[in-house]
Amino acid sequence: HTPPRSAATTPSSDMSRARHSSRDIEFDLPGALDDMAGLASKAAIGHGARDVEVFGNGRQGRPAERQSCDVQPPPAASKKDTVVIISTNNPGRLMLFAALNPKLGEVIDWKTPADYGGFGGDEFAKVSPQKLCPVALTAGGLRLFESDVILSYVADKYAPLLENDCRGPTVEARALSALLVRVHDMYISGTNCSQPQFFSNQAVFYKAAMPGPERAARLKDLLKQLDLVESLLLPAGPYCVGDAISFADVVLYPTVAMMQDQAAASLVGSVTEGRPKLAAWLAHCNADPRFRGVADKIKAFVDTFLGKAVAGITAKGCG
């Protein structure tokens, strides 16, 4: 792999929830969504995907009629691709991919919901049919959503510009990487419903509205999925599927780093304790400023907007 380089200045916000692939960050702070997007855009380097449940769908507390299927036509296509994100773990895959491939900053316009009037506005509804991030507006007029779809599009279209294509060097490596991505997107960060009060497993430590019995069950399953990830990582490392960065690293790192950064305050605790391969992998990635730069942006976002929720949930437990 190429030697570490400083993170590229590109996207900056990321938050979204996960569908069947990668979109699960449900927000508990609907009133803060637009402010956080603006903050993320000022502080940010990368832009992200759209499957993060850590922060939320941005729709809680909004009138039911706003949740209808009134899909708006996309805005007119521009000469460059546009990716709209906020700094959270699922959009974090786009942030990290951009940091690993600095030339993407020259060919993609990275924006936040604040550039479209905020999450609740009609202008943003024209950009994102689910009213979530990330979303991409292609130069050809397509409107894409779901972080994994956007990542695949960017990696395919801009292949000649990439320093790290993250595809994996062998058939076996690519298959294992795809499996790890699927485990993450479906069983850790994913929420396959865009309506309020539906949660992902990762939301156990920051989603205050989650009922106690559901929190207990999801916490148990989250720990099970982390054990499964541990079992799938190749022992030799240093990355998930060998000595080259793969999509598995790009997808897993923002989420694992986010949870580990909150370990002291979180109901989940340390995600690397008792998982030596995961611990070694995380330490290796954290030593690379391209990786750690993305994690620091996500941590700042979580600390600022979810810190009180995380502490309150930990104090209360699953009762």
Side-chain angles (χ1 to χ4, degrees):
H1 67 288
T2 57
R5 299 177 53 172
S6 57
T9 300
T10 41
S12 98
S13 19
D14 54 42
M15 251 269 116
S16 62
R17 351 178 13 149
R19 248 188 151 187
H20 255 228
S21 39
S22 44
R23 149 206 198 192
D24 79 308
I25 268 197
E26 286 208 53
F27 224 163
D28 248 357
L29 312 169
L33 284 173
D34 297 341
D35 290 341
M36 77 181 175
L39 176 70
S41 104
K42 289 178 185 176
I45 74 173
H47 286 41
R50 151 203 180 178
D51 293 340
V52 188
E53 231 232 321
V54 167
F55 310 106
N57 62 8
R59 301 197 201 175
Q60 288 193 344
R62 299 186 187 268
E65 55 267 31
R66 295 198 65 91
Q67 325 244 346
S68 64
C69 299
D70 55 340
V71 177
Q72 300 294 316
S78 66
K79 294 182 180 180
K80 294 174 69 175
D81 290 332
T82 298
V83 178
V84 186
I85 66 164
I86 54 180
S87 294
T88 58
N89 63 312
N90 273 325
R93 73 187 67 188
L94 291 174
M95 297 169 66
L96 181 52
F97 194 67
L100 294 169
N101 295 287
K103 289 184 179 179
L104 292 178
E106 303 170 8
V107 295
I108 296 174
D109 284 333
W110 301 94
K111 296 188 177 182
T112 74
D115 293 307
Y116 298 92
F119 275 97
D122 292 337
E123 186 180 1
F124 185 66
K126 294 178 181 179
V127 173
S128 176
Q130 302 271 37
K131 299 180 183 176
L132 298 170
C133 282
V135 63
L137 304 174
T138 74
L142 285 177
R143 176 173 51 181
L144 303 175
F145 47 96
E146 296 300 331
S147 60
D148 203 44
V149 173
I150 298 171
L151 178 60
S152 178
Y153 168 81
V154 170
D156 191 10
K157 179 174 181 177
Y158 299 108
L161 301 180
L162 303 180
E163 296 179 18
N164 293 275
D165 65 13
C166 301
R167 294 192 181 278
T170 67
V171 172
E172 289 81 4
R174 291 190 289 273
L176 181 54
S177 174
L179 179 57
L180 282 161
V181 169
R182 184 57 62 90
V183 169
H184 172 275
D185 288 351
M186 291 193 69
Y187 301 107
I188 295 177
S189 75
T191 306
N192 62 352
C193 182
S194 65
Q195 299 303 302
Q197 307 305 319
F198 285 85
F199 311 106
S200 67
N201 281 349
Q202 74 175 28
V204 296
F205 79 91
Y206 60 79
K207 197 68 173 169
M210 186 183 293
E214 180 178 355
R215 193 182 307 280
R218 288 193 177 278
L219 176 60
K220 181 178 180 179
D221 196 59
L222 173 61
L223 298 177
K224 171 188 172 181
Q225 302 306 325
L226 290 170
D227 288 341
L228 181 57
V229 169
E230 168 74 11
S231 73
L232 292 172
L233 297 178
L234 292 185
Y239 296 106
C240 287
V241 299
D243 59 3
I245 299 171
S246 69
F247 285 127
D249 302 287
V250 170
V251 170
L252 281 170
Y253 177 78
T255 297
V256 174
M258 176 190 69
M259 290 192 288
Q260 189 63 18
D261 284 344
Q262 299 298 319
S266 167
L267 181 69
V268 178
S270 173
V271 297
T272 60
E273 184 175 351
R275 301 180 182 96
K277 289 189 291 183
L278 190 66
W281 167 80
L282 182 60
H284 181 78
C285 293
N286 277 338
D288 186 332
R290 299 170 300 179
F291 281 77
R292 190 60 234 178
V294 171
D296 287 343
K297 288 177 174 54
I298 296 172
K299 182 180 186 302
F301 191 98
V302 176
D303 288 346
T304 300
F305 296 104
L306 297 176
K308 289 184 179 180
V310 172
I313 291 168
T314 302
K316 183 178 178 182
C318 297

